[in-house]
Amino acid sequence: MKPLRIYLLPVAAMTTIVLAANVAVQFPLFVQLASLQLADILTWGAFVYPFAFLVTDLTNRRYGPQVARRAVYAGFVMAVLCSIVIPPLLFDLGLLGYATAAERLFRIAIASGTAFLAAQLLDIAVFNRLRGASWWRAPAASSISGSVLDTLVFFTVAFAPVFLFLGPNEPFALENAPLLGVFATEAPRWVSWGLGDLGVKLLIAVFALVPYRVIMQQFMPYRTAQA
């Protein structure tokens, strides 16, 4: 039995990131690049959430997969709760210009929780598979694979018509528009949102290798993992 204090920092860090991401995702990124308005494909949440993979990888390396999984389970609970509670709270505070129907909140919560749990557990599995390789391979491969799965699961469950049984869809998300807002090829808007989200996650997965390396060297001597 591991002492409770071991879990405090990983769980607190994961909870903070999930909470911050669920707030930030409500706000589009209003930046104009030539003919592309980034608000059409990105929210601020895309820049916050990927750091959950950094927390998972550091926890996995320092304490092993058992503690990492428990931190993920705490993040899963927060992902579901925040997806239901945060949007109405922001609307009531006047920070959000629209209200989301309860049925829609339920579907988003299912999508958010499922994507988070699947992606983070995949991250742990891939990291442990590559444990002992070059210092950057395990966190890079685990974060990239987890990011791909997270985006695929979330945007499919949240917007694809095949999951209509989970709750109503967002008509605006289903409308065809130029892919990523600039290409001649058209696709449902949620596809562009997913591609933009994935692009940011992959960039941050590479960027996060820097703090991973620094923290690993300074504060986290290697320990043999226990499954």
Side-chain angles (χ1 to χ4, degrees):
M1 179 70 70
K2 295 181 182 296
L4 181 61
R5 60 182 176 78
I6 288 178
Y7 297 95
L8 293 180
L9 182 58
V11 169
M14 186 68 77
T15 300
T16 300
I17 288 175
V18 172
L19 176 60
N22 273 272
V23 172
V25 77
Q26 307 298 322
F27 301 96
L29 178 62
F30 287 103
V31 175
Q32 188 76 35
L33 295 178
S35 61
L36 174 62
Q37 173 53 255
L38 292 183
D40 292 334
I41 59 173
L42 287 176
T43 69
W44 285 104
F47 297 89
V48 178
Y49 173 82
F51 286 98
F53 293 105
L54 176 63
V55 173
T56 299
D57 291 343
L58 288 171
T59 302
N60 197 353
R61 186 184 187 282
R62 180 65 176 87
Y63 298 113
Q66 184 183 62
V67 176
R69 290 189 194 102
R70 291 180 179 177
V72 165
Y73 297 147
F76 166 75
V77 173
M78 282 299 297
V80 173
L81 290 178
C82 288
S83 297
I84 295 174
V85 174
I86 293 297
L89 178 61
L90 293 178
F91 178 76
D92 291 342
L93 292 174
L95 300 176
L96 200 61
Y98 58 89
T100 305
E103 297 85 354
R104 183 68 187 147
L105 285 175
F106 174 78
R107 182 171 174 182
I108 293 296
I110 293 296
S112 178
T114 302
F116 178 88
L117 190 60
Q120 296 296 328
L121 292 179
L122 176 63
D123 179 288
I124 293 171
V126 172
F127 188 98
N128 286 317
R129 179 90 178 192
L130 296 175
R131 187 186 291 269
S134 298
W135 71 266
W136 57 271
R137 289 185 180 178
S142 60
S143 296
I144 289 172
S145 59
S147 295
V148 171
L149 182 61
D150 183 87
T151 296
L152 179 63
V153 172
F154 175 78
F155 283 92
T156 302
V157 174
F159 298 107
V162 70
F163 287 98
L164 191 61
F165 66 91
L166 291 176
N169 215 325
E170 173 57 56
F172 183 73
L174 296 180
E175 292 178 0
N176 282 342
L179 188 63
L180 293 174
V182 293
F183 294 102
T185 302
E186 292 196 344
R189 282 192 175 88
W190 68 268
V191 174
S192 293
W193 297 344
L195 291 174
D197 177 83
L198 178 59
V200 172
K201 284 176 181 172
L202 295 180
L203 287 175
I204 292 180
V206 175
F207 168 79
L209 290 174
V210 176
Y212 175 87
R213 179 65 168 173
V214 172
I215 295 173
M216 182 183 72
Q217 288 183 320
Q218 297 298 321
F219 305 107
M220 294 190 171
Y222 183 82
R223 286 191 178 182
T224 302
Q226 297 178 350

